[in-house]
């Protein structure tokens, strides 16, 4: 799937720019892309180093385990395939908590840890498991109570109420998350 | 509520460290040991991230989307929806930084408190970059067959965008 999308992006993009005469832009974009990706990594790496360190304390002290037990009754409904007390539950919870407070960058390391730990439960290592896709849906629906980036950008443009969109955001998030989770269930049933 | 985020991180760090001390964990060593894992993780995600950047950027800079907009515009006009939101809505699942740049333009041209500004804010705040999450999360653990993951993710974005337009028009 990713393979097909990637190829279509490249093929459509290059052929289309033949017609729009943007070949020069495409050339520089291709050559520049590894630098762009490196810049992204440079931004992600320190955040990851920090939070993986802090998270390791939570893991070794058993705090993560305790947290997993606490949220298990709720997560059990969303992730029926994850066994009780599994490490991934703790990572999924922390990832959601970070997202909720609008700390998207800090959420990424936990998301990656959650995926790694879900991979342990996965039977086919090259195929996405049901829990992984559900977790991905939660992340793409952007569970956020405080959209920090948007609020600070609104402040920058002298909005009368920078946080005035929060209620709307919460409402939309709830709707898209609910619909997303239902749709995920339906797709899973069809693909079973 | 804006300042809530300021309290979250110090509070989480304090809780984790205190709990570690209580459980007699060598907090410092454990931190260093955990942090080491970031090298491995960063190296693992780089190739898939790079691949995504190459594909997405070629696609975006080719002008395909402008072409698509020109066809979608009349439809948006018929159903009486703000056309200005369209580029933002299409960009959001593909590229987070491009969507943010568009949001910036919208604020500059229409102001953050206009209806268009507010709806775009909600779109930015309540959805996430599906392609980025997809490549990063699956790339880091070597998943090749993603099954219906992309459809589920894009569906979430679609609901989020439609929801933002409807709720924005209702609320403001």
């Amino acid at each position: 799937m990713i393979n097909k999308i990637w190829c279509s992006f490249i093929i459509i993009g290059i052929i289309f720019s033949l017609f729009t005469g943007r070949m020069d832009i495409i050339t520089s974009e291709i050559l520049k892309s590894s630098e762009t990706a490196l810049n992204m990594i440079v931004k992600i790496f320190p955040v990851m180093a920090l939070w993986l360190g802090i998270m390791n304390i939570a893991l070794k002290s058993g705090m993560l385990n305790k947290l997993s037990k606490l949220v298990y009754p709720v997560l059990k409904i969303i992730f029926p395939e994850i066994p009780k007390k599994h490490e991934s539950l703790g990572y999924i919870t922390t990832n959601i908590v970070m997202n909720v407070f609008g700390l998207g960058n800090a959420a990424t390391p936990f998301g990656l840890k959650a995926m790694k730990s879900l991979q342990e439960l996965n039977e086919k290592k090259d195929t996405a498991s049901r829990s992984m896709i559900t977790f991905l849906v939660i992340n793409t629906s952007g569970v956020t109570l405080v959209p920090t980036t948007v609020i600070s950008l609104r402040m920058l443009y002298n909005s009368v109420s920078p946080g005035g969109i929060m209620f709307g955001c919460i409402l939309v998030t709830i709707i898209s998350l609910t619909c997303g989770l239902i749709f995920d269930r339906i797709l899973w049933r069809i693909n079973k | 509520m804006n300042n809530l985020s300021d309290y979250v991180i110090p509070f989480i760090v304090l809780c984790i460290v205190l709990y570690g001390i209580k459980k007699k964990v060598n907090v410092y060593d454990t931190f260093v040991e955990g942090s080491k894992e970031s090298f491995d993780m960063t190296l693992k995600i780089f190739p898939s991230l790079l691949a995504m950047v190459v594909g997405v950027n070629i696609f975006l800079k080719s002008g395909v989307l402008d072409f698509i907009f020109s066809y979608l515009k009349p439809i948006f006009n018929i159903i009486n929806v703000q056309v200005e939101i369209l580029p933002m809505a299409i960009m959001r699942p593909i590229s987070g930084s491009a969507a943010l740049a568009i949001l910036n333009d919208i604020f500059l041209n229409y102001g953050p408190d206009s209806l268009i500004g507010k709806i775009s804010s909600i779109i930015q705040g309540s959805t996430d970059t599906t392609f980025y999450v997809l490549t990063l999360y699956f790339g880091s653990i070597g998943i090749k067959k993603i099954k219906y993951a992309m459809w589920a993710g894009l569906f979430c974005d679609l609901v989020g965008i439609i929801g933002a337009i409807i709720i924005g028009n209702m609320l403001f």
Side-chain angles (χ1 to χ4, degrees):
Chain A
M1 190 70 183
I2 291 184
N3 181 38
K4 277 182 205 155
I5 301 164
W6 198 67
C7 292
S8 14
F9 270 174
I10 290 182
I11 296 165
I12 294 171
I14 293 181
I15 291 179
F16 200 86
S17 44
L18 271 176
F19 295 104
T20 48
R22 295 192 188 194
M23 270 314 180
D24 50 334
I25 303 174
I26 298 293
T27 305
S28 72
E29 208 57 50
I30 293 172
L31 298 176
K32 226 174 53 190
S33 47
S34 46
E35 209 184 309
T36 313
L38 188 64
N39 284 335
M40 286 166 92
I41 282 286
V42 166
K43 267 188 203 157
I44 299 171
F45 174 63
V47 183
M48 205 124 84
L50 173 72
W51 287 105
L52 288 179
I54 291 171
M55 210 50 191
N56 202 30
I57 303 173
L59 177 72
K60 293 283 154 71
S61 64
M63 194 183 187
L64 208 61
N65 211 337
K66 226 173 178 180
L67 186 74
S68 311
K69 253 188 248 167
L70 209 68
V71 294
Y72 183 68
V74 183
L75 288 187
K76 182 175 70 176
I77 305 164
I78 307 171
F79 297 99
E81 284 177 355
I82 302 178
K84 201 175 180 175
K85 285 187 186 173
H86 193 259
E87 220 176 74
S88 58
L89 293 168
Y91 291 127
I92 290 172
T93 313
T94 12
N95 170 271
I96 295 173
V97 169
M98 290 296 187
N99 269 322
V100 162
F101 289 103
L103 307 163
N105 279 336
T108 310
F110 302 123
L112 293 171
K113 280 293 260 187
M115 283 310 238
K116 206 172 166 189
S117 133
L118 286 176
Q119 180 73 319
E120 287 164 18
L121 297 171
N122 193 5
E123 281 165 10
K124 281 187 233 152
K125 297 291 176 204
D126 66 333
T127 312
S129 71
R130 178 189 174 189
S131 311
M132 286 175 186
I133 299 177
T134 309
F135 180 57
L136 200 97
V137 166
I138 294 178
N139 263 279
T140 54
S141 73
V143 266
T144 317
L145 284 183
V146 194
T148 39
T149 325
V150 183
I151 290 177
S152 48
L153 195 65
R154 288 171 66 80
M155 276 160 90
L156 198 73
Y157 282 96
N158 305 316
S159 164
V160 214
S161 86
I165 42 109
M166 270 169 53
F167 179 65
C169 280
I170 295 169
L171 227 82
V172 174
T173 296
I174 293 171
I175 295 170
S176 72
L177 181 64
T178 318
C179 292
L181 288 177
I182 294 170
F183 190 62
D184 171 54
R185 274 282 155 108
I186 296 170
L187 285 178
W188 172 71
R189 287 227 171 163
I190 295 170
N191 283 277
K192 201 164 59 169
Chain B
M1 196 70 174
N2 279 348
N3 297 324
L4 193 59
S5 295
D6 293 340
Y7 289 90
V8 178
I9 288 186
F11 182 73
I12 290 175
V13 172
L14 184 70
C15 277
I16 290 176
V17 170
L18 285 179
Y19 196 83
I21 295 168
K22 193 186 147 206
K23 293 282 164 184
K24 302 203 167 50
V25 171
N26 188 331
V27 180
Y28 174 80
D29 285 346
T30 315
F31 176 89
V32 174
E33 183 201 320
S35 187
K36 269 181 198 152
E37 208 184 326
S38 59
F39 286 97
D40 189 43
M41 227 178 219
T42 316
L43 286 178
K44 256 188 199 150
I45 58 175
F46 183 72
S48 29
L49 196 68
L50 171 63
M52 187 202 57
V53 171
V54 173
V56 165
N57 278 358
I58 291 177
F59 186 70
L60 291 184
K61 300 285 159 139
S62 68
V64 177
L65 288 181
D66 300 328
F67 184 73
I68 297 173
F69 291 155
S70 59
Y71 280 94
L72 284 179
K73 253 185 191 169
I75 302 171
F76 262 59
N77 278 328
I78 291 166
I79 51 172
N80 205 12
V81 168
Q82 294 75 7
V83 187
E84 296 82 355
I85 299 163
L86 199 59
M88 168 89 195
I90 294 186
M91 205 60 90
R92 189 65 184 111
I94 305 174
S95 165
S97 53
L100 207 60
I102 296 175
L103 186 67
N104 209 60
D105 282 346
I106 289 175
F107 284 174
L108 196 70
N109 294 326
Y110 306 96
D113 295 316
S114 63
L115 184 56
I116 295 164
K118 279 178 178 164
I119 294 176
S120 312
S121 300
I122 297 180
I123 294 178
Q124 177 75 30
S126 60
T127 50
D128 213 321
T129 323
T130 301
F131 281 99
Y132 175 76
V133 179
L134 212 67
T135 38
L136 208 63
Y137 281 17
F138 284 145
S140 71
I141 49 169
I143 295 282
K144 292 190 182 72
K145 292 175 191 140
I146 62 166
K147 285 156 79 179
Y148 53 91
M150 195 188 71
W151 301 118
L154 287 180
F155 177 78
C156 254
D157 288 327
L158 185 69
V159 173
I161 289 160
I162 295 172
I165 294 173
I166 294 172
I167 284 173
N169 277 298
M170 265 165 43
L171 281 182
F172 309 116

